[in-house]
Amino acid sequence: MNKTVHLTIDGMGIVLFSAKTMEYVEPGSDFLTNEFDAPQQISAHIRKGDITAFCTGSGGDFILHFLTGQPTADIMEQFPISARLGLDVQGGSVQFCDMFWTSRWTTNFPQDQVIPLEDGFYSIAVCTRMPESGYWGDNQTIYIYFEKVDKMPELTWRGVPYLFTEE
């Protein structure tokens, strides 16, 4: 996999999930308010691996690079702000969107927001850096690496994974 997508969001984060894994959510329901609002709720889902997310620190325009494997040392040096996540992929694809989209649940996404991916568990490495402009969300580059693993990674998140710094 090597796919680059431009995503504009209004919210403070990006979510990733497999529609089949999340088929228990009623279409049209407010998943965000009911199950994905408080840090404890978010971390529970992230540790479970049915849906995962990271806080971008602002809305804006993001350039997402979806890749397989792990980031190289060079990428980690150039894009040092990172998070480790996990995901249970079922149904052969992963969808991604603005976290606000989950306030009216749907799995009917534009095709450029669906990534084909073999079923199984994945360790996900997400890395970024402050854009040249000095503003989070200003055509910010984010690398998202998927590495297939034997079981759901043991994650320790007790709150929301942040992919930005306060600096």
Side-chain angles (χ1 to χ4, degrees), residues 16-22 50 87-95:
L16 300 104
F17 65 92
S18 180
K20 184 155 179 65
T21 305
M22 296 296 289
D50 60 346
L87 194 62
D88 178 7
V89 174
Q90 300 299 319
S93 67
V94 171
Q95 298 175 261

Side-chain angles (χ1 to χ4, degrees), residues 28-33 98-105:
S29 67
D30 187 350
F31 181 80
L32 178 64
T33 302
D98 182 332
M99 190 180 323
F100 284 162
W101 279 34
T102 65
S103 65
R104 185 171 170 93
W105 189 263

Side-chain angles (χ1 to χ4, degrees), residues 13 28-29 36-38 45 63 73 91-92 121-123 132 144 153 161 163:
S29 67
F36 214 65
D37 188 41
H45 278 286
I63 302 160
F121 295 107
Y122 287 84
S123 174
E132 297 288 328
I144 304 172
L163 202 64

